[in-house]
């Protein structure tokens, strides 16, 4: 079986299992959304948005470092296992110790036990890391996929069972823990390898060098993807974050089920053929079709049918998710097509080059994302999509620059898939969903129009037809069918594939090349300034960008500490100023519940429940009208208009209940509680006047008064300083590295020897000598 068949077979197995996992996780999204409240999801999302970074540190890039190595002894694998387990334990201790800080940042004391519970996941995940790496390294895609599907199913079953028993947000926490436990047990069972005792005489520094560069890139990427959740949770509370989180999870479920597993397949295959530009480019183009035609098109259609899709899946009470999900799905299109750039970085071992780009690009994407914060979750979703479009375009340019891959070809292919196939399908899906008012009929009509649009695109555009034919051939190989007989013009290419496969004798997936045959590159230099030729023979996962590693960045910071400290201090001063001069805002919460009473038979009371649900929704809409707010303004002598006060009031209804939760913002804690109580009481009075039944005592609102909030919503001084520190560190590193590069360029222009820690440390006699090799 040649590499093309291996890639297709591995991709087919992975996609088949991921289809099952997609069904499991989608079922989980639907069931939990109907059993839990937006606040439940928001509470857990607050914790995970911050602590999730520890999971990246727990891995430390060592899983991919193990996959990347040409030679990996059993002793090295054992030491890697204990290294990941030890790092996971350290993460557990640090996160647990940070629990009071996280609760203080959000102003939510109920986060404390959740942080302690989530922290234990890092130890379990750390122990499972090298078992999963071994499955990936040996190309055992069936075992790897089986582990993922079973672990996901166990977690979902646990969460649904606990949610049915009324566990609330603890059902979500239990899901996280059970997935980690099941993943460890199943991965250890599937893997034929067992770790021994750690061996001090066996070094794994080379893996940490590779993993260090990858870790920095992953942390920057994580900050970009989670800063929106942290900011929304801090400014708007757990309920709004719950709506945003459900939209985000509904988007990421299909993306994760396709992109992450296909990386496990594409990475070893692409790395094997990276020295053959023709074969590499062809494999890359074929792999890109999945992101362009399947993932991106599915997201475009999902954006088009967002309204009926949310109503059918989650119910009418989640209607606030519709615009958020539609905008995030549009941004997800750019995420899906940019995945191919990530594969290029990894298959060529350009993790440090990627880190260098992310030091500049990711802070820019974060700024773009946060620009939409004043407009709430919808504004953040829109600005996030713009940020990922910018990220895709800049990354395409950078990949071409550092790898020599023809990214213009990738750009054209993506545009063809989006503009000629995905976008028309999404637009017609939107139009079709407007033909009916019933959600299920609207969803079916939208999907039917999307399928019709796809068929028309395939008939009208020959390029689209060729792409779809290629994908069908890939699907045929995935299920075991041989490739169709190739035309005469293609015969000249096929022997190259077989020749590449004959060269790759070792079953281990890949060897990081010491250098790519690209004019931008020169001979690699090791940390001590010597040529990297010797180290390449060891199979070490060296930095193949020929530049500095993550550890060298620390050296640069040490030598450019003045500019580093100056930028960091300035950023912290800005964050402190914002905290000091931003007027405080408090949120108080009151409840208004519709009581059915005890008059009548149980059947009569049950028959009244649908009427009570309808009345509850009507009263919720009435809360922010002048009929309720004008008397409140007069009673409390507030110097605001009814329209202005309405903007400070948020009303939510937990799933299938007759309770309204009122959240009121004000400049003082006591004032917020007074307004919340007054609004709830006035709503009860208006409701009593409007209710016309034979037995009015059966339908009346009872009010639960608000407690005075202990923490201000804004400014979140802890969050401001945390954000200021994170942004300040990124800007300070950028400033230090920029200054370092500036000195190097100046020295090169003068033809002098450059001896700057972390640089290439070579004498640049002239620019021509540098650009050769």
């Amino acid at each position: 079986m040649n590499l093309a068949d291996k890639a297709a077979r591995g991709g087919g197995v992975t996609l088949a299992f991921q289809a099952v996992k997609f069904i499991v996780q989608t079922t989980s999204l639907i069931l939990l959304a109907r059993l839990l409240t937006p606040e439940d999801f928001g509470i857990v999302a607050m914790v995970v948005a911050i602590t999730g970074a520890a999971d990246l540190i727990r891995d430390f890039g060592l899983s991919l470092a193990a996959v990347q190595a040409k030679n990996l002894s059993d002793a090295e694998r054992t030491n890697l296992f204990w290294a990941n387990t030890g790092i996971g334990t350290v993460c557990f201790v640090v996160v647990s110790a940070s629990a009071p800080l996280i609760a203080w940042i959000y102003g939510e004391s109920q986060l404390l036990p959740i942080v302690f519970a989530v922290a234990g996941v890092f130890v379990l995940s750390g122990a499972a890391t090298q078992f999963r790496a071994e499955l990936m390294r040996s190309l055992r895609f069936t075992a790897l996929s089986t582990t993922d599907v079973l672990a996901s199913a166990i977690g979902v079953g646990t969460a649904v069972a606990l949610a049915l028993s009324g566990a609330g947000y603890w059902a979500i926490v239990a899901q996280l823990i059970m997935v980690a436990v099941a993943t460890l047990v199943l991965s250890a069972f599937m893997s034929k390898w067992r770790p021994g005792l750690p061996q001090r005489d066996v070094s794994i520094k080379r893996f940490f060098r590779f993993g260090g560069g990858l870790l920095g890139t992953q942390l920057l990427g994580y900050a970009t993807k989670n800063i929106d959740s942290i900011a929304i949770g801090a400014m708007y509370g757990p309920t709004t974050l719950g709506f945003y989180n459900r939209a985000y999870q509904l988007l990421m479920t299909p993306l994760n089920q396709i992109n992450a597993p296909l990386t496990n397949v594409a990475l070893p295959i692409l790395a094997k053929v990276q020295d053959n530009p023709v074969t590499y480019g062809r494999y890359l183009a074929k792999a890109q079709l999945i992101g362009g035609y399947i993932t991106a098109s599915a997201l475009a259609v999902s954006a088009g049918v967002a309204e009926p899709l949310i109503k059918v899946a989650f119910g009418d009470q989640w209607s606030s998710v519709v615009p958020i999900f539609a905008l995030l799905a549009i941004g997800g299109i750019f995420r899906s097509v940019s995945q191919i750039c990530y594969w290029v970085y990894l298959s060529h071992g350009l993790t440090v080059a990627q880190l260098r780009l992310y030091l500049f690009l990711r802070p820019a994407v974060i700024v773009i994302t946060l620009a939409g914060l004043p407009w709430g979750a919808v504004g953040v979703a829109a600005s996030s999509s713009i940020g990922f479009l910018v990220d895709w375009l800049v990354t395409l340019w950078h990949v071409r620059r550092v790898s020599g891959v023809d990214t213009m070809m990738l750009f054209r292919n993506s545009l063809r898939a989006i503009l000629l196939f995905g976008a028309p399908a999404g637009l017609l899906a939107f139009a079709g969903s407007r033909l009916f008012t019933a959600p299920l009929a609207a969803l079916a009509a939208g999907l039917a129009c999307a399928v019709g649009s796809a068929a028309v695109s395939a008939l009208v555009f020959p390029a689209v037809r060729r792409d779809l034919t290629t994908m069908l051939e890939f699907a045929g190989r995935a299920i075991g069918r041989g490739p169709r007989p190739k035309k005469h013009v293609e015969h000249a290419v096929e022997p190259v594939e077989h020749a590449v496969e004959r060269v790759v004798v070792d079953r281990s997936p890949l060897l990081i090349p010491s250098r790519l045959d690209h004019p931008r590159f020169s001979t690699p230099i090791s940390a001590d300034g010597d040529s990297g030729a010797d180290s390449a023979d060891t199979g070490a996962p060296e930095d193949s960008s020929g530049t500095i590693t993550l550890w060298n960045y620390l050296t640069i910071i040490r030598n450019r500490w003045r500019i580093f400290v100056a930028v960091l201090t300035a950023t912290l001063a800005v964050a402190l100023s914002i905290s000091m001069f931003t007027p405080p805002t408090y949120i108080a919460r009151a409840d208004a519940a519709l009581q059915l009473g005890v008059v009548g038979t149980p059947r009569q009371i049950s028959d009244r429940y649908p009427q009570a649900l309808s009345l509850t929704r009507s009263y919720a809409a009435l809360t922010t009208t002048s009929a309720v707010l004008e008397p409140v303004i007069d009673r409390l002598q507030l110097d605001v208009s009814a329209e202005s006060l309405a903007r400070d009031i948020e009303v939510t209804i937990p799933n299938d209940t007759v309770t309204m939760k009122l959240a009121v913002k004000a400049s003082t804690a006591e004032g917020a509680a007074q307004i919340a109580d007054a609004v709830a009481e006035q709503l009860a009075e208006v409701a009593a006047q409007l209710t016309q039944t034979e037995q009015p005592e059966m339908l009346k609102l009872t009010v639960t008064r608000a407690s005075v909030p202990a923490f201000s919503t804004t400014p979140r001084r802890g969050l401001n300083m945390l954000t200021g520190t994170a942004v300040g560190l990124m800007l300070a590193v950028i400033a230090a590295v920029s200054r370092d590069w500036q000195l190097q360029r100046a020295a090169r222009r003068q033809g002098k020897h450059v001896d700057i820690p972390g640089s290439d440390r070579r004498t640049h006699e002239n620019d021509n000598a540098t650009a050769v090799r």
Side-chain angles (χ1 to χ4, degrees):
M1 183 184 296
N2 61 20
L3 279 180
D5 288 334
K6 286 182 180 179
R9 184 66 57 84
V13 169
T14 301
L15 287 179
F17 275 95
Q18 291 307 119
V20 177
K21 187 177 179 182
F22 172 75
I23 293 173
V24 171
Q25 293 196 343
T26 302
T27 303
S28 168
L29 283 174
I30 295 173
L31 292 178
L32 292 179
R34 293 181 176 274
L35 295 173
L36 303 175
T37 66
E39 186 175 4
D40 291 330
F41 292 105
I43 286 291
V44 179
M46 284 179 168
V47 175
V48 174
I50 293 181
T51 61
D55 195 52
L56 296 177
I57 298 174
R58 179 270 310 162
D59 182 272
F60 211 87
L62 297 181
S63 57
L64 283 177
V67 173
Q68 289 276 42
K70 178 181 179 181
N71 300 315
L72 181 65
S73 66
D74 186 69
E76 289 176 325
R77 191 183 294 117
T78 294
N79 284 357
L80 286 173
F81 167 81
W82 290 109
N84 278 126
T85 304
I87 296 173
T89 304
V90 172
C91 290
F92 163 75
V93 174
V94 173
V95 170
S96 298
S98 303
L101 176 62
I102 295 174
W104 175 68
I105 287 173
Y106 285 111
E108 298 282 351
S109 58
Q110 58 185 323
L111 298 182
L112 279 171
I114 300 177
V115 176
F116 293 137
V118 170
V121 172
F122 302 131
V123 180
L124 299 170
S125 300
T129 300
Q130 290 305 316
F131 291 118
R132 292 180 57 79
E134 176 61 22
L135 293 175
M136 189 189 307
R137 178 180 173 82
S138 56
L139 303 182
R140 296 181 60 195
F141 300 121
T142 301
L144 191 63
S145 299
T146 301
T147 298
D148 290 339
V149 170
L150 290 179
S152 178
I154 292 172
V156 169
T158 302
V160 171
L162 289 176
L164 285 171
S165 66
Y169 56 74
W170 283 109
I172 308 173
V173 176
Q175 182 180 15
L176 298 175
I177 296 174
M178 288 306 300
V179 168
V181 172
T183 299
L184 172 59
V185 174
L186 292 171
S187 298
F189 176 77
M190 293 288 185
S191 176
K192 301 183 184 304
W193 167 77
R194 294 293 179 267
L197 295 176
Q199 301 184 25
R200 295 184 179 182
D201 57 333
V202 177
S203 174
I204 55 174
K205 289 182 179 179
R206 61 189 178 103
F207 300 98
F208 275 94
R209 283 198 295 270
F210 176 87
L214 183 60
L215 174 64
T217 301
Q218 289 176 333
L219 286 175
L220 288 170
Y222 182 86
T224 305
K225 295 175 182 177
N226 289 273
I227 191 67
D228 49 358
S229 296
I230 296 174
I232 290 173
M235 287 199 65
Y236 297 102
T239 301
T240 302
L241 177 57
F243 286 124
Y244 187 86
N245 177 261
R246 286 301 86 189
Y248 186 81
Q249 290 302 319
L250 188 59
L251 165 73
M252 294 308 297
T253 294
L255 279 181
N256 289 338
Q257 301 316 305
I258 295 176
N259 289 344
L262 281 182
T263 298
N264 297 341
V265 177
L267 175 59
I269 298 298
L270 289 173
K272 285 180 181 293
V273 299
Q274 62 180 296
D275 292 328
N276 189 312
V278 175
T279 306
Y280 184 90
R282 189 170 67 256
Y283 281 11
L284 202 63
K286 289 181 179 180
Q288 188 190 29
L289 295 180
I290 296 176
Y293 280 91
I294 297 180
T295 313
S297 298
L299 290 171
V301 173
S302 298
V305 298
E307 184 172 357
L309 176 64
I310 296 300
K311 289 183 177 180
V312 169
F314 295 165
D316 292 335
Q317 66 273 17
W318 290 87
S319 57
S320 299
V321 172
V322 172
I324 302 173
F325 173 74
L327 291 168
L328 287 177
I330 295 173
I333 294 174
F334 306 118
R335 287 192 183 193
S336 65
V337 295
S338 66
Q339 181 76 2
I340 203 75
C341 298
Y342 181 64
W343 292 350
V344 174
Y345 282 125
L346 288 187
S347 61
H348 282 308
L350 296 171
T351 57
V352 176
Q354 187 183 18
L355 174 60
R356 176 180 287 182
L357 171 69
Y358 276 20
L359 283 171
F360 295 90
L361 181 58
R362 291 306 188 184
V365 174
I366 290 174
V367 171
I368 294 174
T369 300
L370 294 181
L373 199 57
W375 292 273
V378 175
V380 172
S383 57
S384 173
S385 298
I386 296 173
F388 281 106
L389 170 60
V390 173
D391 178 83
W392 174 49
L393 296 176
V394 175
T395 304
L396 279 174
W397 164 82
H398 187 254
V399 164
R400 181 186 181 93
R401 181 174 181 272
V402 300
S403 71
V405 172
D406 182 12
T407 53
M408 283 305 298
M409 175 267 294
L410 300 178
F411 179 69
R412 289 192 299 269
N413 290 350
S414 297
L415 283 186
R416 181 171 66 248
I418 293 172
L419 298 181
L420 301 184
F421 193 82
L427 291 174
L428 283 180
F430 175 77
S433 67
R434 298 293 164 177
L435 298 176
F436 301 93
T437 55
L440 188 58
L443 179 60
L447 294 177
C449 290
V451 172
S453 172
V456 171
S457 296
L459 291 174
V460 172
F461 302 109
V464 172
R465 197 158 53 247
R466 286 194 301 271
D467 290 341
L468 295 179
T469 301
T470 301
M471 293 180 64
L472 288 176
E473 292 179 354
F474 179 90
R477 291 186 176 191
I479 61 177
R481 294 180 182 175
R484 296 191 309 177
K486 297 182 179 296
K487 297 179 181 179
H488 177 72
V489 71
E490 295 179 346
H491 287 173
V493 179
E494 185 66 21
V496 177
E497 300 177 4
H498 293 294
V500 172
E501 188 175 2
R502 285 195 302 271
V503 171
V504 185
V505 178
D506 193 321
R507 184 168 175 77
S508 60
L510 52 105
L511 167 64
I512 295 300
S514 61
R515 220 23 157 187
L516 298 176
D517 295 329
H518 189 267
R520 297 184 186 276
F521 297 131
S522 54
T523 304
I525 303 298
S526 62
D528 58 1
D530 297 329
S531 170
D534 294 335
S535 63
D537 295 335
T538 66
E542 291 287 336
D543 148 35
S544 65
S545 66
T547 56
I548 55 180
T549 67
L550 185 62
W551 313 117
N552 297 133
Y553 277 96
L554 299 178
T555 305
I556 291 177
I557 291 171
R558 184 187 63 190
N559 288 276
R560 311 295 167 210
W561 66 270
R562 291 182 179 85
I563 188 172
F564 179 87
V565 171
V567 173
L568 179 59
T569 303
T571 309
L572 290 176
V574 172
L576 182 61
S577 300
I578 293 174
S579 299
M580 292 178 61
F581 296 107
T582 300
T585 301
Y586 295 84
I587 293 182
R589 294 178 172 85
D591 293 344
L594 192 61
Q595 297 296 319
L596 296 179
V598 294
V599 179
T601 65
R603 182 178 180 84
Q604 290 174 330
I605 296 176
S606 176
D607 291 341
R608 287 186 179 275
Y609 195 72
Q611 178 188 3
L613 290 175
S614 178
L615 280 175
T616 303
R617 298 189 186 99
S618 300
Y619 294 154
L622 186 65
T623 305
T624 53
T625 63
S626 57
V628 173
L629 298 185
E630 289 290 356
V632 171
I633 293 173
D634 294 338
R635 184 190 313 174
L636 299 180
Q637 298 182 349
L638 302 176
D639 188 18
V640 294
S641 63
E643 293 78 8
S644 176
L645 182 58
R647 288 193 292 269
D648 294 332
I649 299 175
E650 181 181 5
V651 184
T652 57
I653 304 175
N655 300 348
D656 296 329
T657 65
V658 291
T659 300
M660 291 170 288
K661 294 184 174 295
L662 283 65
V664 179
K665 291 191 296 184
S667 58
T668 63
E670 294 77 8
Q674 289 178 359
I675 296 174
D677 292 339
V679 170
E681 292 167 358
Q682 183 62 32
L683 178 62
E685 293 179 11
V686 174
Q689 298 171 5
L690 295 177
T691 302
Q692 300 293 331
T693 63
E694 295 180 358
Q695 296 173 312
E697 70 278 2
M698 291 182 61
L699 293 170
K700 61 181 180 180
L701 284 176
T702 58
V703 175
T704 301
R705 298 177 65 85
S707 58
V708 178
F711 299 98
S712 63
T713 303
T714 58
R716 296 282 195 186
R717 291 182 173 84
L719 181 64
N720 288 345
M721 297 309 297
L722 178 65
T723 305
T725 302
V727 174
L729 287 172
M730 285 191 291
L731 294 178
V733 169
I734 291 172
V737 172
S738 298
R739 178 58 178 166
D740 193 75
W741 292 344
Q742 212 173 35
L743 292 175
Q744 292 185 53
R745 286 196 300 269
R748 291 191 189 103
R749 284 195 297 267
Q750 298 174 10
K752 295 180 178 180
H753 174 74
V754 183
D755 189 14
I756 301 175
S759 70
D760 286 342
R761 290 178 180 159
R762 64 181 62 131
T763 303
H764 296 275
E765 300 296 342
N766 53 64
D767 291 339
N768 293 331
T770 313
V772 191
R773 306 185 188 97

